[in-house]
């Protein structure tokens, strides 16, 4: 190990953001593990120190001075210790330097594989931390490749290739190589064996972020998105609320000449959006959530979170929606179980 070793670690820190201290610990553990395997010396008795100033590495074994040596790999007789330095006494620790040539051979053995593994772990750790901070936000990536067999696409995001799986793609969407695609960092899953960054275009957070991008009043906190219920590629309901009585929440989201809502819809492959005015009165909120159907009568049980809604006969199919979609989305939006009957 020489100046090139330290230069390489410096470069890793600058380009990949991997702290040198992290790499030192990994390399130290790898060297100690190799010595333990080759010489049966416990790793606790092996020390590795790095001197950045002199650009050197010192490896030594700690041996305890004893009267009767039982394990010569970690113990040393008082006579042998005092031949090194006369002041050593029983119980003292003697540091025995490893042969630099042996250290070089060990480092070569440990070498590339361990360092590459350490780099990968550090990069993945940094990557996971970065995406954890971005969870729930939208980011753009470029299509690197398309896996036809698994019906997934792989995006280049910040220099990393990440999968966008079929279930997280809006139904009916197709992409081509080199195309720019917006995705939501939906989740970061970690366990002892693997780490996974989940990208999605179908989750409610994707829709929420599109509104935040296009509607400044939401970014400013004047308008709030209170709830979203979504069936990606088909239809969504978005409940919005204004904290300023002079600002229309629904109108702000639509924009002049529908410019804002159209910009959002361009990313949704034909998905419809119902903008609902949120109300703290559950009766008003449920009536609004069932739009475009007109409610004639409503009975509600706030404690049980259930309600019974009556609509005109010619409004029944509109209130329920195709395959029950309208009432299903309204129920998810409001948190109420909704039973609809003809008036």
């Amino acid at each position: 190990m020489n100046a090139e070793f330290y230069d390489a670690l410096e470069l890793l820190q600058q380009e990949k953001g991997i702290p040198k201290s992290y790499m030192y610990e990994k390399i130290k553990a790898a060297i100690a593990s190799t010595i333990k395997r080759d010489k049966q010396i416990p790793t606790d008795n092996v020390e590795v120190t790095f001197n950045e100033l002199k650009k050197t590495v010192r490896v030594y074994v700690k041996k305890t001075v004893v009267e009767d040596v039982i394990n010569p790999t970690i113990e040393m007789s008082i006579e042998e210790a005092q031949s090194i330095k006369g002041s050593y006494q029983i119980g003292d620790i003697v540091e025995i330097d490893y042969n630099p040539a042996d250290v070089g051979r060990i480092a070569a053995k440990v070498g590339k594989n361990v360092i590459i593994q350490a780099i990968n772990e550090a990069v993945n750790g940094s990557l996971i931390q970065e995406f954890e901070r971005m969870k729930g936000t939208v980011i753009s990536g470029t299509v690197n490749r398309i896996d036809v067999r698994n019906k997934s696409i792989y995006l280049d995001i910040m220099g990393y290739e990440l999968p966008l799986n079929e279930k997280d793609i809006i139904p009916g969407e197709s992409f081509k190589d080199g195309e720019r695609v917006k995705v939501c960092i939906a989740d970061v899953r970690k366990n002892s064996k693997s780490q996974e960054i989940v990208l999605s275009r179908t989750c409610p957070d994707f829709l929420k972020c599109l509104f935040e991008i296009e509607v400044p009043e939401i970014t400013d906190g004047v308008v709030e998105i209170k709830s979203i219920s979504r069936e990606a590629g088909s239809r969504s309901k978005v409940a919005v609320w204004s904290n300023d009585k002079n600002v229309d929440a629904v109108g702000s989201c639509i924009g002049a000449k529908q410019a804002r809502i159209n910009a959002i819809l361009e990313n949704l492959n034909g998905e419809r959006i119902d903008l609902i005015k949120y109300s703290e009165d559950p009766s008003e909120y449920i009536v609004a959530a069932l739009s475009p159907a007109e409610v004639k009568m409503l009975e509600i049980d706030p404690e049980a979170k259930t309600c019974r809604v009556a609509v005109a006969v010619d409004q029944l199919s509109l209130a329920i929606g195709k395959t029950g979609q309208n009432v299903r989305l309204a129920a998810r939006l409001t948190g109420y179980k909704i039973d609809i009957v003809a008036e």
Side-chain angles (χ1 to χ4, degrees):
M1 294 185 179
N2 52 26
E4 291 180 0
F5 164 76
Y6 285 98
D7 291 343
L9 294 189
E10 182 67 35
L11 196 62
L12 280 172
Q13 181 167 279
Q14 291 176 3
E15 293 189 351
K16 297 289 188 181
I18 305 172
K20 285 184 285 186
S21 58
Y22 177 90
M23 292 301 298
Y24 289 149
E25 288 302 314
K26 286 291 182 182
I27 294 165
K28 175 181 175 180
I31 290 174
S33 178
T34 303
I35 291 175
K36 177 185 178 181
R37 186 184 68 237
D38 293 350
K39 303 293 184 181
Q40 286 73 55
I41 299 173
T43 54
D44 288 345
N45 288 74
V46 178
E47 282 293 335
V48 182
T49 59
F50 300 92
N51 189 322
E52 291 189 25
L53 191 61
K54 295 182 179 179
K55 297 191 182 299
T56 58
V57 179
R58 183 190 176 209
V59 180
Y60 59 91
V61 177
K62 296 182 292 184
K63 292 190 176 186
T64 304
V65 179
V66 296
E67 192 168 343
D68 297 312
V69 176
I70 297 173
N71 184 352
T73 60
I74 60 172
E75 294 175 341
M76 177 181 287
S77 68
I78 183 65
E79 293 81 14
E80 187 181 358
Q82 289 182 345
S83 70
I84 298 171
K85 190 166 73 173
S87 60
Y88 278 128
Q89 300 294 323
I90 300 292
D92 287 346
I93 303 296
V94 181
E95 297 176 355
I96 306 297
D97 282 291
Y98 231 71
N99 186 322
D102 288 341
V103 173
R105 284 193 294 271
I106 291 169
K109 276 185 180 181
V110 167
K112 191 159 64 172
N113 289 339
V114 170
I115 291 174
I116 287 173
Q117 182 184 357
I119 291 170
N120 287 339
E121 287 176 2
V123 169
N124 289 337
S126 300
L127 177 65
I128 291 295
Q129 288 179 4
E130 180 67 21
F131 280 99
E132 277 184 332
R133 287 193 290 269
M134 296 166 61
K135 186 176 174 180
T137 65
V138 161
I139 191 170
S140 292
T142 304
V143 178
N144 253 2
R145 59 189 175 95
I146 300 171
D147 188 334
V148 178
R149 186 180 63 179
N150 294 324
K151 298 180 180 179
S152 298
I153 67 171
Y154 289 82
L155 303 177
D156 182 336
I157 296 179
M158 302 189 325
Y160 301 101
E161 187 179 75
L162 301 174
L164 176 62
N165 297 317
E166 180 186 19
K167 65 182 177 60
D168 296 305
I169 297 172
I170 296 173
E173 284 188 317
S174 61
F175 303 98
K176 56 182 182 291
D177 286 342
E179 185 176 351
R180 294 286 288 174
V181 179
K182 288 179 181 176
V183 291
C184 177
I185 311 299
D187 199 5
V188 179
R189 298 171 184 160
K190 297 188 290 183
N191 56 50
S192 58
K193 292 185 178 179
S194 64
Q195 298 176 331
E196 181 186 8
I197 296 162
V198 181
L199 306 179
S200 178
R201 288 175 54 80
T202 61
C203 65
D205 276 343
F206 180 69
L207 186 54
K208 180 174 181 285
C209 288
L210 292 179
F211 272 95
E212 289 172 350
I213 291 168
E214 298 296 336
V215 183
E217 289 86 349
I218 294 177
T219 307
D220 295 340
V222 177
V223 172
E224 291 181 51
I225 294 177
K226 289 290 190 178
S227 181
I228 294 176
S229 60
R230 186 180 184 207
E231 294 185 2
S234 178
R235 189 175 180 185
S236 293
K237 288 183 182 284
V238 181
V240 292
W241 169 262
S242 175
N243 292 309
D244 185 338
K245 63 181 181 181
N246 297 316
V247 176
D248 176 16
V250 172
S252 297
C253 293
I254 294 172
K257 298 182 179 179
Q258 300 189 335
R260 293 175 177 177
I261 194 68
N262 285 340
I264 292 166
L265 292 171
E266 283 176 6
N267 292 279
L268 300 177
N269 196 39
E271 185 174 323
R272 288 174 53 199
I273 296 177
D274 296 342
L275 285 166
I276 308 299
K277 184 179 178 182
Y278 174 80
S279 173
E280 293 183 349
D281 180 336
S283 297
E284 287 184 6
Y285 189 23
I286 291 166
V287 168
L290 285 167
S291 65
E294 295 179 8
V295 173
K296 292 291 185 180
M297 188 173 67
L298 182 145
E299 296 176 354
I300 189 167
D301 184 343
E303 290 186 5
K305 287 275 186 175
T306 61
C307 70
R308 184 178 176 86
V309 174
V311 298
V313 173
D314 61 355
Q315 291 276 303
L316 187 61
S317 61
L318 187 63
I320 295 171
K322 187 177 180 181
T323 69
Q325 186 182 63
N326 192 58
V327 67
R328 187 167 61 245
L329 288 173
R332 288 184 202 153
L333 190 77
T334 60
Y336 273 76
K337 182 180 178 182
I338 303 173
D339 182 26
I340 297 180
V341 296
E343 186 182 24

